[in-house]
């Protein structure tokens, strides 16, 4: 596999139905069904909010340190076959605190899994603590304060959840506090929200990477700024299709982003829900590249079949 770094991955979004069922049984949490296929069939969304509603409901099964270990260890084991050498992993402590789970359990489980994955598979990793923007800046500041006793266990802060109504500007102060602690700074912007959210993330939060950022392409001045700064954009193609940011992969702006000289990279976001891990995203783009080429249809079909065969082989090896 081509070696890659995964920089936009929500660990809670790797909760596959099979593990969801196992954790629900462990912790006595009722599910609408215990059939993995039926649960997976529910993963069809028409908006970011529709996804978030189901996603957060499922996270009630995460209650013990062991649960967080199993979640992270499953992801890190899976992406060995995807070529991942470095994973910088988002997590949402506010969700778990809201379910009565102590931060020590969250950090304990996640960091133990990261340590074991480095020993077992050689995967380098770090945790990025995300603030849920819909809970507001005061809650974000409170969460940062609560997490500082675990400062050696996370490398940065991020900003996720719904963008509409919660612009980056609201979180300027907590990002200043995070910067003072030496934390790396990233934020989701330009997915639901327009280019203005990317401008705010850059100019007010002083982020080093923009997560998603696909709507930056609507503002030529912003594109030029991102190119000149070489600010990384962590793009998630299959996620963008699943959440109707774009209708089809063939309409995705990633090729235009690369043509414009932007520092864009491919990631999986919430792979359990959006149709694939980072290698699945790369395979989908490879298939798309043949669809877009000007070769004869027979050649295009043959090459796409090679991509499918490669992906089937990679799946069999997992």
């Amino acid at each position: 596999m081509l070696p890659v770094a995964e920089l936009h991955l929500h660990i809670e979004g790797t909760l596959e139905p099979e593990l969801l069922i196992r954790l629900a049984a462990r912790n006595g949490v009722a599910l609408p069904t215990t059939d993995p296929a039926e649960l997976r069939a529910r993963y069809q969304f028409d908006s970011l909010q529709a996804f978030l509603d189901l996603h957060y409901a499922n996270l009630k099964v995460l209650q013990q340190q062991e649960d967080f270990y199993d979640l992270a260890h499953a992801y890190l084991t899976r992406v060995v076959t995807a070529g991942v050498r470095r994973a910088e992993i988002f997590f949402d402590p506010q969700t778990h605190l809201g379910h009565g789970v102590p931060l020590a359990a969250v950090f304990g489980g996640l960091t133990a899994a990261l340590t074991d994955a480095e020993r077992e598979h050689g995967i380098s990793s770090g945790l990025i603590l995300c603030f849920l923007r819909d809970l507001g800046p005061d809650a974000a500041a409170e969460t940062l304060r609560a997490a500082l006793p675990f400062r050696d266990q996370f490398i940065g802060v991020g900003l996720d959840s719904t963008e509409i109504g919660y612009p980056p500007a609201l979180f300027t102060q907590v990002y200043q506090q995070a910067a003072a602690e030496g934390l790396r700074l990233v934020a989701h912007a330009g997915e639901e929200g327009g280019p203005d959210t990317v401008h705010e993330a850059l100019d007010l939060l002083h982020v080093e990477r923009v997560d998603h950022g696909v709507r930056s392409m609507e503002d030529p001045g912003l594109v030029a700024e991102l190119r000149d700064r070489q600010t990384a954009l962590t793009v998630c193609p299959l996620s963008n299709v699943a959440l109707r940011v774009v209708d089809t992969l063939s309409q995705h702006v990633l090729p235009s982003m690369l043509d414009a000289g932007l520092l864009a990279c491919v990631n999986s976001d919430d792979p359990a829900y959006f149709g694939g891990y980072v290698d699945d995203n790369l395979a989908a783009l490879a298939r798309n590249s043949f669809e877009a080429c000007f070769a004869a249809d027979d050649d295009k079909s043959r090459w796409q079949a090679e991509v499918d065969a490669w992906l089937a082989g990679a799946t069999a090896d997992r």
Side-chain angles (χ1 to χ4, degrees), residues 63-102:
Q63 297 185 7
Q64 308 174 48
Q65 179 167 317
E66 182 182 8
D67 304 334
F68 292 92
Y69 178 90
D70 289 349
L71 179 68
H73 193 265
Y75 161 73
L76 290 163
T77 300
R78 162 63 181 83
V79 297
V80 171
T81 60
V84 172
R85 300 292 187 270
R86 170 71 176 178
E88 297 183 358
I89 298 171
F90 299 139
F91 71 112
D92 289 334
Q94 288 164 290
T95 298
H96 311 303
L97 289 168
H99 294 160
V101 181

Side-chain angles (χ1 to χ4, degrees), residues 35-71:
D35 183 327
E38 290 182 13
L39 287 171
R40 193 169 272 110
R42 300 174 71 222
Y43 295 179
Q44 301 291 326
F45 312 105
D46 59 8
S47 67
L48 175 60
Q49 192 57 54
F51 156 66
L52 291 173
D53 290 343
L54 177 62
H55 172 64
Y56 289 132
N58 283 348
L59 295 185
K60 293 176 183 177
V61 304
L62 295 168
Q63 297 185 7
Q64 308 174 48
Q65 179 167 317
E66 182 182 8
D67 304 334
F68 292 92
Y69 178 90
D70 289 349
L71 179 68

Side-chain angles (χ1 to χ4, degrees), residues 251-310:
Q251 297 174 337
H252 204 281
V253 297
L254 180 58
S256 298
M257 298 173 85
L258 297 175
D259 286 346
L262 299 186
L263 181 58
C265 58
V266 173
N267 306 269
S268 64
D269 203 3
D270 298 273
Y273 296 89
F274 297 152
Y277 289 77
V278 66
D279 51 334
D280 299 308
N281 276 265
L282 291 168
L285 290 169
R287 217 178 185 287
N288 225 37
S289 70
F290 291 120
E291 181 63 33
C293 78
F294 296 137
D297 287 345
D298 287 348
D299 288 334
K300 291 164 68 168
S301 296
R302 174 167 53 86
W303 293 325
Q304 288 177 325
E306 289 181 32
V307 174
D308 294 340
W310 173 87

Side-chain angles (χ1 to χ4, degrees), residues 21-311:
I21 292 166
R22 182 154 59 90
L23 297 184
R26 175 187 290 170
N27 294 314
V29 177
L31 296 176
T33 176
T34 55
D35 183 327
E38 290 182 13
L39 287 171
R40 193 169 272 110
R42 300 174 71 222
Y43 295 179
Q44 301 291 326
F45 312 105
D46 59 8
S47 67
L48 175 60
Q49 192 57 54
F51 156 66
L52 291 173
D53 290 343
L54 177 62
H55 172 64
Y56 289 132
N58 283 348
L59 295 185
K60 293 176 183 177
V61 304
L62 295 168
Q63 297 185 7
Q64 308 174 48
Q65 179 167 317
E66 182 182 8
D67 304 334
F68 292 92
Y69 178 90
D70 289 349
L71 179 68
H73 193 265
Y75 161 73
L76 290 163
T77 300
R78 162 63 181 83
V79 297
V80 171
T81 60
V84 172
R85 300 292 187 270
R86 170 71 176 178
E88 297 183 358
I89 298 171
F90 299 139
F91 71 112
D92 289 334
Q94 288 164 290
T95 298
H96 311 303
L97 289 168
H99 294 160
V101 181
L103 273 181
V106 179
F107 276 109
L110 295 179
T111 55
L114 269 57
T115 299
D116 285 353
E118 183 157 21
R119 186 184 70 252
E120 295 166 4
H121 306 299
I123 295 180
S124 169
S125 54
L127 293 174
I128 295 177
L129 182 156
C130 285
F131 306 122
L132 299 179
R133 59 208 315 155
D134 56 300
L135 297 184
D138 291 342
E142 181 180 345
T143 301
L144 179 60
R145 286 193 296 272
L148 286 179
F150 306 94
R151 171 65 186 85
D152 62 332
Q153 297 180 47
F154 64 109
I155 62 172
V157 298
L159 187 63
D160 62 10
S161 189
T162 183
E163 289 182 27
I164 303 301
Y166 304 97
L170 294 175
F171 299 88
T172 301
Q173 185 172 1
V174 71
Y175 266 70
Q176 290 173 346
Q177 294 165 348
E181 295 292 337
L183 290 159
R184 310 306 294 262
L185 309 176
V186 302
H188 285 50
E191 179 191 20
E192 275 188 305
D196 56 307
T197 63
V198 179
H199 277 294
E200 287 191 10
L202 293 170
D203 299 338
L204 301 180
L205 304 188
H206 303 293
V207 298
E208 301 169 82
R209 287 200 302 254
V210 175
D211 299 312
H212 290 297
V214 290
R215 293 194 60 192
S216 301
M217 298 303 291
E218 299 170 18
D219 182 339
L222 176 58
V223 171
E225 181 180 353
L226 290 167
R227 181 184 61 244
D228 293 345
R229 290 189 183 192
Q230 282 295 282
T231 300
L233 299 105
T234 61
V235 180
C236 305
L238 292 181
S239 166
N240 293 157
V241 175
L243 296 182
R244 304 295 186 264
V245 177
V246 295
D247 290 334
T248 66
L249 199 60
S250 63
Q251 297 174 337
H252 204 281
V253 297
L254 180 58
S256 298
M257 298 173 85
L258 297 175
D259 286 346
L262 299 186
L263 181 58
C265 58
V266 173
N267 306 269
S268 64
D269 203 3
D270 298 273
Y273 296 89
F274 297 152
Y277 289 77
V278 66
D279 51 334
D280 299 308
N281 276 265
L282 291 168
L285 290 169
R287 217 178 185 287
N288 225 37
S289 70
F290 291 120
E291 181 63 33
C293 78
F294 296 137
D297 287 345
D298 287 348
D299 288 334
K300 291 164 68 168
S301 296
R302 174 167 53 86
W303 293 325
Q304 288 177 325
E306 289 181 32
V307 174
D308 294 340
W310 173 87
L311 186 58

